[in-house]
Amino acid sequence: MSLDPQLLARLSTDPAKRIDEVIAHYRRERQPVELFEALKMKSRLAHGLPMIADPDEPLAPATSEADKQRERELEEYLLDACRQAGAMLIQDGRIAEGWMYLRPTGDIELAKRLLEDIEINDDNYDEMTQVLLHENVDLRRGYNAVLKHQGTCNSITLYDQAIAARSRKDRQIAAECLLTSFYNELLSLVRDDFRNRGPDNGVSAEAIEADAAKLNLGELIAKYKWILGGGGYHLDTTHLSSTVRFATVIDDREMIDQALQLCQYGRRLPSDFQYPGEEPFVDFYPAHSAFFSALLGQSVDTALRMFEQKARTVDVNVAGAGAIETYIDLLDRVGRPAEALRAAIELFPDDVPVQRVLPELLAMARRAKQAGDTSGLDALEQFCFGRSDLLAVAAIAAEKA
């Protein structure tokens, strides 16, 4: 960009005033990279340093308190410059560049607010999903964008490849997005099918209008068994099973009920479309139905007995620790954290490092303590000591204090 020939004459000869004028120029012209450099130069000048670092400027760490303070202030100025440049870049649609400047600040909320004003389209989809989803600035919006732009199949693949190993909170967010999308689409298709075939199955026009509007998926297929009586299905059945599988991490009761309805739908499918799962959900839809029902307070003891039997009999060397983890998780989530903790101490394989599961065990012990059962911390302390893990023993002392 060529400069106005008169600009040089208008610039102040005072270094501090001149750099302020240069900063103002880059703000007006919306040149964020140059703005960043100018802000950095201003901070150096304010701290008695050359505005452009000398190639031979020493890089040794500061030793005096004055030098350490100056380093801290320079770093704060630098982060603020990153914040300003990054915000301008994002506002101008340069998403990846803007995030590159904002990332060092750790200001996720600022990035999220800035990106909320930008519509996701075909041109910026890759950059937006990279920042929103993969950089975890706004996972919900990023995963919903994948669902919208790439469909259910690609979204399921993405979950398995990039989200399944992330935190429980992240898995919950993505699972909720997928469940909402899949459930609503399936319900819409079933309702349309009900409206179209209802008259041929003896349903009056008034009943069709009323039930299509008020009944949910589970209620429709329970009341009108002919909807799934012909051996067909309404949406890809592999997508159905994946949505159910991911939904086991969800805590929202309304969404758990939707997952249970998907199981009810799946159980009515022809056997060819009921695929086996992994332990403890080999009998896929019945096992998941029991799990979701227990979370909703239905047949809790029956479900716990079933999953306890799996936890105690499934060979971890063949099927892994999934059955044990599921039983413990279910105990904890139905409000029995002390029992969950005792089961974990008893059942976890010897080759599982304590540190891998300690955060979850401590959380269970806290919940048990809040419910009036303090024995869990003593048992956990003995368990960790028996595993020769003094770090865990030290951590438990803080919980018992």
Side-chain angles (χ1 to χ4, degrees), residues 53-226:
D54 190 284
D56 297 324
E57 185 171 289
L59 299 177
T63 54
S64 70
E65 283 304 316
D67 287 344
K68 290 178 181 177
Q69 178 64 25
R70 182 173 67 179
E71 279 192 356
R72 288 193 290 268
E73 291 177 359
L74 283 168
E75 183 177 351
E76 287 300 317
Y77 271 97
L78 185 62
L79 290 174
D80 185 61
C82 286
R83 193 173 288 109
Q84 294 186 50
M88 186 180 290
L89 283 161
I90 289 178
Q91 288 166 344
D92 290 349
R94 297 160 67 180
I95 311 302
E97 292 177 83
W99 174 244
M100 181 181 70
Y101 279 89
L102 281 181
R103 186 194 284 120
T105 72
D107 198 340
I108 300 295
E109 286 304 313
L110 173 60
K112 183 177 179 179
R113 289 197 304 272
L114 290 166
L115 291 169
E116 283 174 353
D117 295 330
I118 299 177
E119 182 180 355
I120 302 175
N121 54 44
D122 291 340
D123 293 331
N124 66 18
Y125 170 80
D126 288 339
E127 285 187 309
M128 288 289 282
T129 53
Q130 175 63 35
V131 175
L132 292 171
L133 192 152
H134 295 289
E135 298 287 345
N136 214 17
V137 169
D138 189 345
L139 175 58
R140 189 175 301 277
R141 188 178 178 211
Y143 196 76
N144 276 327
V146 176
L147 279 163
K148 179 180 178 181
H149 286 257
Q150 293 193 290
T152 302
C153 186
N154 286 321
S155 300
I156 289 170
T157 301
L158 175 66
Y159 188 105
D160 276 324
Q161 292 180 346
I163 297 175
R166 287 165 65 164
S167 71
R168 185 183 185 92
K169 181 180 178 181
D170 285 356
R171 287 181 283 133
Q172 284 179 330
I173 290 171
E176 288 170 358
C177 293
L178 179 62
L179 176 60
T180 298
S181 175
F182 188 88
Y183 178 88
N184 288 340
E185 185 179 1
L186 180 58
L187 176 59
S188 177
L189 291 171
V190 170
R191 281 174 170 168
D192 288 344
D193 185 24
F194 172 62
R195 292 187 184 99
N196 292 333
R197 294 196 292 137
D200 295 337
N201 285 274
V203 188
S204 68
E206 294 77 11
I208 290 174
E209 181 179 355
D211 286 350
K214 71 179 182 181
L215 297 185
N216 62 31
L217 176 66
E219 292 165 341
L220 268 175
I221 61 176
K223 184 173 182 178
Y224 300 102
K225 295 180 173 54
W226 52 263

